[in-house]
Amino acid sequence: MSGDGFFEQFIEEYFAECDEHLATARHALLDLEGAVGQPPAAPVLQELLRSLHTLKGLSGMVGVVAAERLAHAMEEALRARMRPDAPVEATIVDTLFASVDLLERCILARRSQSAAPDIAPMLAKLGAKAPAESAKPAPASATAREAAAAEEPEGLVHHFEFAPTRELTDRGIGVDAIRARLRSLGTLLDAKPRVAAGSVIFDFWVSVEMGRAPDEQWRNDGLTWTAVPQPAPAETTSPAPGDAARAADSGAAAALQPVTTAGANVVRVDLGRLDGVMRLVGDLVISRSRLDDLLRHGGRDGGKAMRDALEETNTLMERQLRRLREAVMRIRLVPVGEVFERLRFAVRDAARESGKRISLQLHGQNTEIDKLVVDRMLEPLLHLVRNAVSHGIERPEERVARGKPAEGTLILRAAATGDRVSVDVEDDGAGIDTARVEARARARGLLAANEPLGADALLDVLCTPGLSTRDEADMTSGRGVGMDVVRSTIRSLAGELSLFTTPGKGTRFVVELPLTLMIVDALLVEIGGQQMAVPQPVLREILKVERSEIVPFENNDVVPWRGGLLPLLSLSRLFRFPETRPPSVYLLVVGSESAPMGLVVDRLLGLREIVVHPVADPLVAVDGISGATELGDGRVSLILDSAAIVRLAQEERAARAWSGGSANVATTRGAAAAPSLPS
């Protein structure tokens, strides 16, 4: 293994550990915030101190200097300004909250190999002594170190190398001792471990104070050093006022962006689940051995006996593989509470910014969902939560005037049903002003002259890029962007977004997502001679109807269904396949309960487990196709995206309403035809 590979494995563990300790620190700070004016609970203080101390040690071990110094200053400030016998002060809690955010950005900067943020102002606010190196970002590359060196007019930068050995460890000379020794010499600019010749080497870059030099005796302690050539000072110019304003604006915007630490690629698995997987693998090994014996000696038993034994073994292995698939999927599952806990802090910040009082209620935190889905759904949920605080819930005085409690309620709820998970974001605010939305939509030409603003159309209008119902933006939302990105992100996860609102009572957004995106049960169908797959979780019902039962109605085909009419969409026509027009067809009922749709297919070919391979290349991406899968016979089958297909049909109806004619789905979308695959 290369040195880089060894170090990257270690640094990923560092990021995962930091993610957990940062979450623990924030939880403890929330508890302290609730105890403002009262003595803090000793266990909460101990938990917070333990997390900060661990973050300091971990950061020092991997050379993230800015994070190490900031965590140390937070720990010292906490010990000095918060005692078990004194009431908690709101100012120190706010400072620690801001410090945790800054600490997280320092760790994220190390992950992205960018310069760390300036921690000197926060060190001063914490009351810590701010050494010169604290005011500079930790350089992430040789170029950054040269820049840091150029800013050190009072000394010369040296590159130190330390090679630890067992003999040095026995003498008490380790990495921490060397780091302390170098800090006594000057300003520590950067520190990084690496692997060379099968051993770990630590590199340090130190700005040595004027008039000082390393002690030659240090070479006996595993240290070597060389002076780093410093570049000529660059001529600096003052930025133009416009540039400064733009920089300030971009800095303020960056501060509002959610920070995601880098433990996203790590899943902590319960040992019992791994034991279950090992047992299933053992069963498969036994079945594989049995199959090998049958193939090796089957000729002695005769043809029929051989076939019966092979069929039995095949059935057994199919059952074992399904159990193994389910077990592996459970390994990938993590509680959705990971996202909910992050949203608690977003609600806190948004409420403080808007001057509103919010009571956050969490339900179903133990509902499990695929780790990849959890990570990608954070941004959409974050925007929905901020919208609920900014747009939905009224100010305390407005709520009291309307007969409501001064404190608004925001509910985050998760529940699993079959292979789907629903996440609700619900508030008891003023609801959506549909008249205002309708006026904005008509002004922008988003609604036809006589088209009503129904529930589905309301969500479509709100998800239009650039649309905002506010005249002025605030610091949390209302900038006219976001909802379109929310829905597109959810749809990229094979999910769907729904909206329910009641004026004066509140709004509820429902996000429906699959449990996992990797392996799913799918129904294989035939459309115009082509074989395609439809994920089973999206199917509400399957019907077989005669063509004579299909009735044309207002440029649409419909069939009677459950006391009403079910609109139909021919997939052969949508993808421009040859229409075979058999006497009977099958209808795949998809869509929401309020807006169902029947997709017309020619034949049903059976259920299969499929491995989903998403189509990521925009040059071959087609609306209505979410990916592809390889079948057992080696053929490739496209996977239908029912949500996108329903959206295409809705756009077709909208185009017909505008044109007054019979617009074709394919023509309203351009030339979006599915590629033909070899049979």
Side-chain angles (χ1 to χ4, degrees):
M1 180 183 294
S2 67
D4 290 342
F6 173 84
F7 181 64
E8 285 306 314
Q9 282 192 350
F10 180 75
I11 200 69
E12 285 296 330
E13 287 294 326
Y14 163 73
F15 293 132
E17 290 288 339
C18 287
D19 200 28
E20 290 191 3
H21 289 294
L22 287 169
T24 301
R26 284 194 171 102
H27 294 173
L29 286 174
L30 281 176
D31 292 337
L32 289 177
E33 188 176 46
V36 168
Q38 305 173 10
V44 175
L45 277 180
Q46 293 171 2
E47 184 178 50
L48 181 56
L49 285 169
R50 184 163 50 247
S51 295
L52 294 176
H53 186 77
T54 305
L55 285 167
K56 177 181 70 174
L58 290 172
S59 300
M61 184 170 60
V62 299
V64 185
V65 180
E68 178 191 14
R69 290 202 176 280
L70 183 57
H72 176 71
M74 294 169 65
E75 185 182 2
E76 293 300 311
L78 190 63
R79 294 182 187 277
R81 299 178 58 183
M82 196 173 295
R83 298 184 302 275
D85 57 345
V88 176
E89 299 177 2
T91 53
I92 182 59
V93 174
D94 290 340
T95 301
L96 289 173
F97 262 116
S99 300
V100 169
D101 290 340
L102 183 59
L103 180 60
E104 191 168 19
R105 294 185 185 279
C106 293
I107 297 168
L108 188 61
R110 175 61 183 85
R111 168 86 180 211
S112 61
Q113 292 295 313
S114 58
D118 185 5
I119 64 172
M122 186 59 70
L123 291 179
K125 197 171 183 180
L126 289 167
K129 181 181 178 181
E133 67 267 26
S134 299
K136 303 177 185 62
S141 63
T143 302
R145 291 185 203 106
E146 292 174 0
E151 296 174 1
E152 290 288 342
E154 298 182 356
L156 179 66
V157 174
H158 284 66
H159 172 209
F160 290 82
E161 293 186 4
F162 173 61
T165 63
R166 183 178 295 276
E167 185 269 335
L168 291 174
T169 302
D170 293 339
R171 290 168 49 196
I173 301 176
V175 177
D176 290 338
I178 292 297
R179 184 183 288 109
R181 183 181 298 182
L182 296 178
R183 282 176 176 160
S184 68
L185 181 67
T187 300
L188 181 60
L189 299 176
D190 197 10
K192 290 182 183 299
R194 58 183 168 88
V195 176
S199 61
V200 179
I201 305 294
F202 290 85
D203 294 303
F204 300 92
W205 286 264
V206 181
S207 175
V208 180
E209 296 178 1
M210 275 300 224
R212 305 193 62 181
D215 190 339
E216 288 297 325
Q217 296 296 324
W218 289 358
R219 299 187 185 275
N220 299 327
D221 296 337
L223 267 179
T224 59
W225 59 86
T226 57
V228 178
Q230 299 188 49
E235 183 178 354
T236 59
T237 58
S238 300
D243 295 336
R246 282 190 291 272
D249 289 343
S250 62
L256 290 173
Q257 297 302 316
V259 178
T260 304
T261 48
N265 294 329
V266 177
V267 178
R268 298 191 179 273
V269 182
D270 181 78
L271 188 58
R273 292 188 176 184
L274 291 178
D275 290 340
V277 172
M278 288 301 297
R279 286 193 296 270
L280 290 171
V281 171
D283 292 341
L284 280 171
V285 170
I286 295 172
S287 297
R288 170 67 179 80
S289 177
R290 179 182 179 186
L291 180 62
D292 184 67
D293 289 340
L294 286 172
L295 295 174
R296 193 184 302 270
H297 308 294
R300 303 173 186 174
D301 299 332
K304 185 177 185 306
M306 176 69 167
R307 284 195 303 272
D308 292 343
L310 285 174
E311 288 179 1
E312 181 183 352
T313 303
N314 178 65
T315 302
L316 176 62
M317 293 187 70
E318 181 182 4
R319 188 163 55 247
Q320 291 170 340
L321 281 171
R322 177 176 287 273
R323 289 202 297 264
L324 179 61
R325 184 204 91 180
E326 293 172 350
V328 172
M329 187 184 74
R330 285 196 296 271
I331 289 178
R332 292 177 57 92
L333 299 182
V334 296
V336 75
E338 288 188 8
V339 176
F340 283 5
E341 290 301 326
R342 286 185 173 274
L343 295 176
R344 290 177 62 186
F345 309 109
V347 172
R348 173 191 178 271
D349 294 340
R352 291 169 66 89
E353 180 67 36
S354 61
K356 298 177 181 179
R357 295 166 54 187
I358 309 294
S359 170
L360 179 63
Q361 299 180 12
L362 306 179
H363 302 283
Q365 299 98 307
N366 293 328
T367 302
E368 292 187 320
I369 195 169
D370 191 287
K371 173 67 173 175
L372 175 63
V373 179
V374 164
D375 291 339
R376 292 180 60 186
M377 69 187 287
L378 174 60
E379 293 292 337
L381 291 179
L382 181 64
H383 188 87
L384 292 177
V385 163
R386 286 176 168 170
N387 268 359
V389 176
S390 179
H391 291 284
I393 297 177
E394 312 95 328
R395 294 185 177 277
E397 60 273 13
E398 296 175 8
R399 294 179 60 86
V400 172
R402 295 175 181 178
K404 296 182 177 181
E407 185 178 70
T409 300
L410 180 61
I411 301 175
L412 297 178
R413 183 187 299 106
T417 305
D419 292 333
R420 306 284 288 181
V421 170
S422 65
V423 180
D424 295 3
V425 179
E426 182 178 357
D427 66 73
D428 67 343
I432 296 176
D433 188 345
T434 54
R436 187 180 182 88
V437 174
E438 183 175 358
R440 293 289 176 98
R442 295 195 188 281
R444 292 192 52 180
L446 301 177
L447 290 175
N450 299 321
E451 182 182 0
L453 185 65
D456 294 332
L458 174 62
L459 182 59
D460 290 338
V461 169
L462 292 176
C463 292
T464 301
L467 181 78
S468 177
T469 58
R470 284 199 164 190
D471 297 320
E472 296 181 358
D474 59 18
M475 293 296 290
T476 55
S477 60
R479 288 180 170 79
V481 296
M483 283 303 299
D484 58 319
V485 178
V486 168
R487 187 158 70 169
S488 63
T489 302
I490 292 172
R491 283 174 170 171
S492 71
L493 296 172
E496 195 52 67
L497 178 68
S498 303
L499 167 64
F500 305 89
T501 184
T502 303
K505 294 186 177 180
T507 301
R508 177 165 65 100
F509 284 94
V510 179
V511 180
E512 292 188 2
L513 296 162
L515 275 178
T516 182
L517 301 178
M518 302 297 294
I519 303 176
V520 298
D521 290 317
L523 176 66
L524 297 183
V525 299
E526 184 177 298
I527 307 166
Q530 295 287 335
Q531 183 174 264
M532 292 190 170
V534 184
Q536 188 178 3
V538 305
L539 297 176
R540 302 175 58 85
E541 192 174 339
I542 300 176
L543 305 173
K544 182 179 181 181
V545 300
E546 301 296 325
R547 282 198 175 270
S548 58
E549 300 178 51
I550 300 177
V551 180
F553 175 72
E554 293 184 354
N555 296 320
N556 290 293
D557 289 336
V558 298
V559 295
W561 182 69
R562 294 189 178 182
L565 296 178
L566 178 67
L568 306 183
L569 177 64
S570 171
L571 295 182
S572 295
R573 194 179 310 156
L574 172 66
F575 293 121
R576 302 180 187 174
F577 290 156
E579 293 198 60
T580 57
R581 300 191 66 81
S584 62
V585 294
Y586 291 89
L587 307 181
L588 310 181
V589 183
V590 298
S592 63
E593 185 174 351
S594 60
M597 177 166 292
L599 306 181
V600 181
V601 301
D602 299 335
R603 293 174 55 203
L604 304 182
L605 304 179
L607 285 172
R608 297 281 182 85
E609 286 183 327
I610 63 172
V611 179
V612 178
H613 298 281
V615 178
D617 189 343
L619 296 178
V620 297
V622 175
D623 280 337
I625 302 296
S626 61
T629 186
E630 184 178 358
L631 303 178
D633 57 5
R635 289 187 297 169
V636 175
S637 178
L638 297 177
I639 303 172
L640 296 179
D641 183 350
S642 63
I645 290 173
V646 171
R647 188 166 66 251
L648 288 173
Q650 293 171 345
E651 292 177 0
E652 178 194 21
R653 289 200 297 268
R656 285 173 175 168
W658 276 101
S659 63
S662 55
N664 181 272
V665 177
T667 58
T668 60
R669 299 291 299 177
S676 298
L677 298 174
S679 301

